Amino acid sequence: MTMKRVTIKQMRLVNFKGIRELEAAFDGRLTDICGKNGTGKTTVYDAFTWALFGKDSQDRKQFDIKTLGRDGKPLPDIPHEVSVLLDVDGEEIR
């Protein structure tokens, strides 16, 4: 069995957990995501694992993806979206 080369080309998040909107393009090189606590690093990772595997970064299928308002309650009737564009051995897959 031959291993496939998988590269993340782009990610887009809309109302996923604490991130209202984020679009990130990757150039195929190693990418570090860094920042202070509470700035969304784990949320980006959760979005990626949710899109690919239906789980968060702690392997939980049951976790809250909803965006919370200032009162701590989920905002009603807003779309939630995670889109990932991958390159798998030269073929783009969204």
Side-chain angles (χ1 to χ4, degrees), residues 10-14 22 24 47 50-51 81-85 94:
Q10 183 182 44
M11 280 185 67
R12 183 168 190 269
L13 285 65
V14 177
L22 172 71
W50 183 68
E81 176 186 333
V82 175
S83 173
V84 180
L85 178 61
R94 185 168 299 276

Side-chain angles (χ1 to χ4, degrees), residues 37-56:
N37 287 345
T39 57
K41 301 176 303 292
T42 301
T43 298
V44 171
Y45 186 40
D46 283 343
F48 179 74
T49 58
W50 183 68
L52 266 61
F53 309 113
K55 299 178 181 181
D56 72 358

